[in-house]
Amino acid sequence: MMLLTRRPIGACLGLLMLLVLPLAAWAHKASDSFIYVDQSQSQVRIDLALRDLALVLPLDSNGDHQLSGAEVRHGRSAITELVGQGLTLSNARGRCQLIGQQWGVSRHSDGLYAAGRYQVACPDDQPPASLEYNLLFQQDPLHRSLVSITDSHGERLDVLAPGDRTLALGDSDSAFSNTLQLFGTFLYEGVIHLLIGLDHILFLLVLILPATLPLTPRQSPNQAGPGSDLHKRLLELVGIVSAFTIAHSITLALAALNVVTLPIAWVETVIALSIAVAALNVYWPVLGRKTWKLAFGFGLIHGFGFASVLGDLTSGVSQLAIALAGFNLGVELGQLALLVVLFPLLYRCGRYRVYERAAVPAILLMVGALSLYWVAERAADI
């Protein structure tokens, strides 16, 4: 009997370790680039983050881990060559030529980018029909390039990823197909953004842990009956998730619509701090025991984090509402997928005393330490 009892406990401890330990190794923000294609003017602009370029090019000549204006200017030819190798536009007659027109530095919500504008000269003077992008995927498998295309029908958005590096630039058959594709693209990206947003995942984990702890006198692991507190725990979980969803949906919309904008470096720092505070609050309720209030308050900040990339690309785009709706729904689906997997397993673990007295404190300590490390790291970047 003792062996049978230990196995579930070991499984619970193993589950919690698997949840947190890999996060420390993957504790970085996925990188992004931005491509703006203007079919009517036969022009393309590409913005690449300086911090990403420093991973593949020797831009930091003095080794001080910072890029000066002189170092960026000195690396211009190397950056231009890299773009020429990794960005390809073509039509039915062959590859188009990129003719440099303007070069400089742009600022997005997460920092400085090298920006280049090119005239696109294609065979037979026909517009480009496709775009292929092959930059930075090898250095960061989470890298995404967000593309804005302007043509005779207006503006549309798309996303390039490691498994989908080619994009058709021709006009689509109908406005409906454009809208459907846009919604589907950002629905998918919303799911991915949640699942690779490690700070958001840890925050959700900390929020749901109290709902897995006993609310009534503990039963034997093999008992079930009228004393079960599953119903109360589910109600608590619904309140937490609803508060977090409503809060981050509000600020996601406000930020993407440019109604309220906050410096993303500060937002990311406060998000990391919110994880540490939430972890502390589980056993020392400095902010009260109403977890849903905590979820709502910090959810407002997390919404600005969700919007950091979406707002950079979609400012002024007529299809913003569709992109925003798809992205927000994708975030919710990713969140629900995590809860469907995690909560039943952690609820099962909650039947064992060692889970409450040892496993949960250990996991909160690890989460708190990791989030404080993120705070220090992000504050140093500021």
Side-chain angles (χ1 to χ4, degrees):
M1 291 295 294
M2 183 63 69
L3 181 61
L4 293 175
T5 302
R6 285 177 179 171
R7 283 178 180 172
I9 294 175
C12 291
L13 293 175
L15 169 66
L16 290 173
M17 291 299 179
L18 286 173
L19 285 173
V20 174
L21 289 179
L23 298 183
W26 287 85
H28 71 285
K29 180 186 180 295
S31 65
D32 308 296
S33 66
F34 300 88
I35 300 175
Y36 306 87
V37 181
D38 188 338
Q39 289 284 69
S40 61
Q41 299 294 323
S42 295
Q43 291 183 345
V44 61
R45 169 184 159 185
I46 180 169
D47 291 12
L48 298 168
L50 293 181
R51 67 174 183 278
D52 293 332
L53 290 172
L55 298 176
V56 294
L57 297 174
L59 301 179
D60 184 14
S61 57
N62 61 8
D64 65 350
H65 304 291
Q66 295 185 14
L67 291 180
S68 66
E71 288 173 327
V72 174
R73 288 191 296 272
H74 185 264
R76 173 177 175 175
S77 60
I79 295 172
T80 302
E81 182 180 355
L82 182 71
V83 170
Q85 295 171 351
L87 180 64
T88 303
L89 288 91
S90 58
N91 61 17
R93 291 292 185 177
R95 181 169 179 168
C96 304
Q97 182 182 4
L98 298 181
I99 304 171
Q101 287 193 317
Q102 191 175 5
W103 197 90
V105 175
S106 64
R107 178 178 291 276
H108 290 268
S109 62
D110 58 345
L112 296 176
Y113 283 61
R117 187 184 302 277
Y118 301 85
Q119 190 71 33
V120 182
C122 296
D124 294 341
D125 293 327
Q126 296 298 310
S130 67
L131 180 152
E132 183 178 352
Y133 176 85
N134 291 292
L135 293 172
L136 298 170
F137 292 130
Q138 185 174 353
Q139 286 72 31
D140 185 357
L142 302 179
H143 178 70
R144 296 289 188 272
S145 184
L146 292 96
V147 186
S148 172
I149 304 166
T150 303
D151 55 27
S152 58
H153 294 287
E155 296 170 290
R156 58 190 175 95
L157 307 175
D158 217 310
V159 180
L160 296 172
D164 189 11
R165 304 186 183 196
T166 303
L167 175 64
L169 298 178
D171 293 343
S172 60
D173 295 334
S174 67
F176 176 76
S177 63
N178 266 346
T179 299
L180 191 61
Q181 179 185 6
L182 177 68
F183 182 83
T185 296
F186 278 88
L187 175 72
Y188 174 78
E189 288 304 316
V191 174
I192 296 299
H193 193 77
L194 188 281
L195 296 181
I196 67 175
L198 304 180
D199 40 12
H200 300 297
I201 292 176
L202 281 184
F203 185 71
L204 282 173
L205 172 64
V206 171
L207 287 181
I208 68 174
L209 279 178
T212 68
L213 297 174
L215 299 177
T216 61
R218 184 180 301 277
Q219 295 177 312
S220 165
N222 295 318
Q223 283 183 326
S228 174
D229 55 16
L230 176 60
H231 180 67
K232 292 181 180 179
R233 294 202 228 189
L234 287 175
L235 287 178
E236 181 181 0
L237 183 64
V238 168
I240 293 169
V241 173
S242 299
F244 185 68
T245 296
I246 293 170
H248 78 65
S249 296
I250 292 172
T251 48
L252 171 59
L254 291 176
L257 293 169
N258 286 322
V259 176
V260 179
T261 57
L262 296 177
I264 188 60
W266 285 102
V267 169
E268 295 291 339
T269 303
V270 174
I271 286 175
L273 184 61
S274 74
I275 303 170
V277 173
L280 175 68
N281 200 71
V282 174
Y283 278 107
W284 291 278
V286 292
L287 298 179
R289 297 188 179 277
K290 297 293 186 181
T291 308
W292 69 267
K293 293 182 179 180
L294 188 68
F296 184 86
F298 284 128
L300 293 172
I301 298 296
H302 283 245
F304 287 108
F306 287 134
S308 60
V309 172
L310 188 64
D312 280 341
L313 186 71
T314 57
S315 177
V317 174
S318 59
Q319 294 174 301
L320 173 59
I322 302 299
L324 180 60
F327 189 82
N328 195 45
L329 181 58
V331 168
E332 300 314 316
L333 291 177
Q335 178 177 287
L336 288 175
L338 282 174
L339 293 175
V340 167
V341 172
L342 289 182
F343 183 74
L345 295 174
L346 295 179
Y347 171 71
R348 174 79 175 179
C349 293
R351 301 167 66 187
Y352 299 92
R353 194 176 303 275
V354 69
Y355 171 80
E356 178 184 5
R357 296 189 174 182
V360 171
I363 210 72
L364 291 173
L365 181 62
M366 294 174 64
V367 169
L370 179 59
S371 58
L372 289 176
Y373 168 77
W374 285 343
V375 170
E377 185 179 51
R378 295 171 184 182
D381 288 340
I382 295 175

